Amino acid sequence: MSEIGISVPNVNVRGPEVPRTIEALDPVFTVSNLSVFYGDYEAVRGVDMTIGNREITAMIGPSGCGKSTVLRCFNRMNDLIPGARAVGEILYHDENLYGDHVDPIEVRRRIGMVFQKPNPFPKSIYDNIAYGPRVNGIKGNMDEIVEEALTKAALWDEVKDKIKQNALSLSGGQQQRLCIARAIAVKPDVILMDEPCSALDPIATTKIEDLMQELTRDYTIVIVTHNMQQAARVSDRTAFFTAEVDGAGVRHGRLVEFDETSRIFTNPSDKRTEDYITGRFG
Amino acid sequence: MSAQHRTTVPGTRGSLARSRPRYGEFVVKAVLLTAAMVSVATTIGIVIALLEPTVEFFAAVSIGEFFGSTDWGPLFNPPAFGVWPLIVATVEITLIAVVVAVPLGLAAAIYLSEYASHRTRKIFKPVLEVLAGVPTVVFGFFALTFVTPLFRNLFPFLDLEAKNALAAGLLVGVMIIPIVASLSEDSMAAVPNGLREGSYALGASKMLTSVRVVVPAAFSGIVAAIILAISRAAGETMIVAIAGGFKSVFTLYPGNEMSTMAAFIAQAGSGDASVGSIAYKTIFAVGSLLFVITFAMNYLSARMVQKYREVYD
Ligand SMILES: Nc1ncnc2c1ncn2[C@@H]1O[C@H](COP(=O)(O)OP(=O)(O)O)[C@@H](O)[C@H]1O
Ligand SMILES: [Mg+2]
């Protein structure tokens, strides 16, 4: 990461109309005192944050500070890692996401995810999109569902003539938009994105960022990003994580500051946030 | 063997030139090359050894009779050379074996690759490999002395002969389960985890993820495993010789005794066919046929494996 041009006036931050409050007004997720363990290792300690409805929330911070770990709690993806365990509470709307009665499969149907490395299935473009609706038993005209999802992901015009071709023949950026379309096709409530642009070139990145702006009308988005300008450009709120070493010499991810993006990038209240966004981190 | 006792003490001063000649390196290379040559030379030797008597056989017996008749009895008088009874027996026993081994082997592979915990996998895989190491003569006697009598008691309407294709096929199937399971498991384990995560993230269960994402992604590797297993089944000798029998009457019913190509070769080869006789040459003609069939299948399997390697590059 070279020059980090966070000179305040140039930053295109959305929503000055959002009130200046740390808490999202209409939270989709309310995280309280969340700690995540991999076996005995406490990777993330004591996170409190809220994810606002129809907002884009960015999670930034140096690598290894637990951003992905926290993100993967929101759709219980960490359940798939043997030994991984979340302690604390995450409310999804008003339901405890880790409650006994909760089915992680149902959670993942409502809370979609896009990964760092585009991971289309080695099937046709059509079958990639149709996969989610099919496994979830969604009824309806599959051709329409596919077209709608691809249109929403701004990919339809590029692929409508080769819908039966293998998805792996698409470019990296197209593959990532296909993965977004695939997530949209099951009509989720929330879309989680873990560094969705880190494997893409700047033009493809811009396309995905524009797409996120579009999608935020219908979906709540949480994005982990390495790119602070990206967080500044697209998000409404930003959570800054870092790793702290405790008394025993063990590193834990901590949430340092969580606020409106405009505030984080112009007037952070924590020295560490300021150091990080001005590139003096270290 | 390759242990080279280079006793250079770190920190001691000296020229950077090699301090002593590395004979070991040369020896290792020579040994490895010889080993590679031996297997290539053996294959070529087999082809040559098969070819000559085969050509002589077809000088005496027309290809039309060989492939155009269902009458087999090269050791009878007058001899008959219609190879179809052997082909039918081989195909039938192979089919029965495949019907047994593919579902069980695939299920085992899916279990090992997708469901089993690290610990269970560590116990199960060696067990599977032990099964692959059981001498086939054991399977043969098991089929003859246990499976066939059991089936005759349980299913008298099958009208099984004491030796029959069904029991032989079932045990050949058991024999090839480890091939199907182990190779399929390898190719399923090679499927990138990102694909599984992509599936789970869409709300798919483990079962759907295994069946609709992992298995299709590993498909060409699985097909290669199955083809390899088929060619092992087609060439299996001991089980079919013991439990399938040698009778080469043309029949389609698997409850009957039948002789496969491999069983015929074993029988005729251990008999007293004198070198140069037509019966002797017949062994080689049938051997060539079996060789061509299994070679073609192995080639197909290798091509499949290659294709599957390319999928994620
Ligand atoms: N599957 C795992 N098993 C054990 N430790 C893990 C696992 N995934 C991540 N970690 C550890 O948790 C910490 C946070 O990782 P991660 O959430 O991936 O960070 P980030 O996404 O911010 O780079 C790191 O120390 C990492 O090594
Ligand atoms: Mg990460």
Side-chain angles (χ1 to χ4, degrees):
Chain A
M1 243 174 276
S2 50
E3 351 86 299
I4 298 151
I6 315 292
S7 49
V8 189
N10 296 339
V11 174
N12 168 26
V13 179
R14 292 185 343 120
E17 72 277 5
V18 180
R20 243 163 213 262
T21 158
I22 294 182
E23 295 294 314
L25 274 186
D26 175 15
V28 173
F29 292 107
T30 309
V31 181
S32 317
N33 200 20
L34 174 74
S35 299
V36 188
F37 293 81
Y38 292 110
D40 291 333
Y41 172 58
E42 189 175 7
V44 178
R45 175 176 281 183
V47 171
D48 293 284
M49 65 190 287
T50 49
I51 305 292
N53 193 17
R54 305 287 185 271
E55 286 187 355
I56 300 182
T57 305
M59 294 165 60
I60 62 170
S63 116
C65 65
K67 306 178 296 293
S68 301
T69 299
V70 171
L71 189 75
R72 292 164 62 95
C73 287
F74 289 136
N75 65 343
R76 295 199 46 177
M77 210 62 183
N78 281 339
D79 290 26
L80 300 169
I81 299 172
R85 180 162 61 88
V87 179
E89 190 183 63
I90 301 179
L91 292 181
Y92 170 62
H93 297 292
D94 291 319
E95 220 174 331
N96 183 357
L97 201 57
Y98 280 85
D100 290 336
H101 62 288
V102 172
D103 177 10
I105 289 175
E106 188 56 34
V107 168
R108 292 181 205 123
R109 206 189 80 61
R110 305 230 200 127
I111 303 164
M113 189 167 214
V114 175
F115 299 83
Q116 183 165 357
K117 190 168 174 282
N119 59 350
F121 304 126
K123 301 175 190 288
S124 72
I125 294 169
Y126 185 99
D127 285 340
N128 263 273
I129 307 294
Y131 181 81
R134 279 178 187 150
V135 300
N136 286 293
I138 292 176
K139 302 273 186 305
N141 184 332
M142 195 55 80
D143 293 354
E144 277 169 20
I145 293 174
V146 169
E147 178 171 348
E148 189 190 330
L150 285 169
T151 307
K152 276 194 175 172
L155 192 59
W156 175 249
D157 289 335
E158 288 163 62
V159 303
K160 62 170 180 264
D161 299 325
K162 48 179 178 178
I163 204 88
K164 295 287 175 195
Q165 268 180 32
N166 196 306
L168 296 172
S169 66
L170 298 175
S171 73
Q174 288 173 324
Q175 288 188 10
Q176 197 61 302
R177 276 180 286 147
L178 180 72
C179 291
I180 294 173
R182 189 172 73 180
I184 291 171
V186 296
K187 304 203 182 323
D189 179 24
V190 182
I191 302 175
L192 309 173
M193 301 187 176
D194 193 347
E195 303 193 27
C197 303
S198 68
L200 305 183
D201 62 60
I203 292 172
T205 299
T206 309
K207 282 196 179 149
I208 303 253
E209 287 180 8
D210 292 346
L211 177 57
M212 284 195 282
Q213 302 286 9
E214 281 291 312
L215 294 176
T216 189
R217 279 194 254 135
D218 298 321
Y219 305 97
T220 301
I221 296 176
V222 187
I223 175 174
V224 169
T225 175
H226 246 96
N227 181 336
M228 278 176 282
Q229 287 163 305
Q230 181 170 64
R233 277 193 299 264
V234 302
S235 71
D236 300 287
R237 282 166 214 277
T238 298
F240 171 63
F241 288 79
T242 190
E244 273 178 16
V245 178
D246 68 9
V250 183
R251 292 173 84 240
H252 305 286
R254 301 296 307 260
L255 175 64
V256 175
E257 191 166 354
F258 176 59
D259 208 330
E260 287 166 34
T261 299
S262 53
R263 185 90 172 239
I264 290 275
F265 283 97
T266 56
N267 189 16
S269 51
D270 196 293
K271 179 81 169 58
R272 289 166 295 177
T273 315
E274 189 177 340
D275 287 349
Y276 185 72
I277 62 164
T278 52
R280 277 196 307 257
F281 191 85
Chain B
M1 272 182 302
S2 68
Q4 264 253 274
H5 303 290
R6 286 198 287 141
T7 50
T8 327
V9 180
T12 50
R13 271 188 300 151
S15 150
L16 283 177
R18 187 187 293 167
S19 50
R20 24 171 119 181
R22 291 192 199 119
Y23 296 118
E25 205 80 44
F26 176 77
V27 171
V28 166
K29 204 171 155 188
V31 167
L32 293 179
L33 182 68
T34 314
M37 292 299 280
V38 165
S39 57
V40 172
T42 311
T43 310
I44 294 172
I46 290 173
V47 172
I48 293 170
L50 282 173
L51 210 57
E52 207 198 331
T54 303
V55 170
E56 285 171 19
F57 172 83
F58 282 114
V61 177
S62 77
I63 291 189
E65 184 184 356
F66 194 62
F67 289 112
S69 152
T70 57
D71 224 1
W72 183 253
L75 310 177
F76 299 162
N77 200 4
F81 297 100
V83 80
W84 278 106
L86 301 188
I87 294 179
V88 166
T90 307
V91 168
E92 227 166 77
I93 286 180
T94 304
L95 269 181
I96 293 169
V98 164
V99 166
V100 170
V102 168
L104 289 176
L106 267 186
I110 291 175
Y111 173 74
L112 284 174
S113 156
E114 307 300 310
Y115 283 83
S117 69
H118 186 71
R119 211 148 106 244
T120 344
R121 188 170 10 222
K122 251 171 74 180
I123 300 168
F124 264 79
K125 258 223 138 166
V127 169
L128 208 63
E129 269 139 34
V130 166
L131 190 61
V134 173
T136 54
V137 65
V138 175
F139 289 127
F141 268 102
F142 185 73
L144 180 72
T145 61
F146 183 78
V147 176
T148 296
L150 180 74
F151 279 21
R152 284 174 126 181
N153 275 331
L154 289 180
F155 316 113
F157 53 89
L158 285 179
D159 208 15
L160 295 186
E161 292 190 75
K163 295 188 175 196
N164 58 81
L166 181 65
L170 289 179
L171 266 294
V172 172
V174 171
M175 178 200 81
I176 61 175
I177 287 174
I179 299 175
V180 176
S182 178
L183 293 179
S184 302
E185 202 262 340
D186 288 347
S187 72
M188 284 163 63
V191 171
N193 218 22
L195 293 185
R196 292 185 185 86
E197 292 202 319
S199 172
Y200 290 132
L202 291 165
S205 62
K206 188 162 242 185
M207 205 265 282
L208 285 171
T209 301
S210 307
V211 173
R212 299 229 193 152
V213 173
V214 179
V215 168
F219 190 69
S220 41
I222 293 172
V223 170
I226 294 172
I227 292 173
L228 200 66
I230 289 176
S231 70
R232 280 288 283 110
E236 168 53 29
T237 309
M238 220 25 156
I239 300 174
V240 295
I242 295 172
F246 297 118
K247 213 195 281 174
S248 50
V249 177
F250 185 72
T251 168
L252 291 173
Y253 182 59
N256 290 339
E257 175 173 355
M258 9 176 131
S259 173
T260 68
M261 290 188 257
F264 165 75
I265 294 168
Q267 177 203 20
S270 57
D272 49 9
S274 57
V275 176
S277 71
I278 188 71
Y280 175 84
K281 287 172 191 160
T282 313
I283 299 172
F284 288 88
V286 174
S288 294
L289 184 61
L290 189 57
F291 185 84
V292 167
I293 291 172
T294 50
F295 187 84
M297 288 208 275
N298 282 337
Y299 176 75
L300 214 66
S301 151
R303 285 288 298 272
M304 284 286 188
V305 170
Q306 216 169 7
K307 195 176 143 209
Y308 124 84
R309 275 208 193 102
E310 285 164 5
V311 168
Y312 307 109
D313 283 354

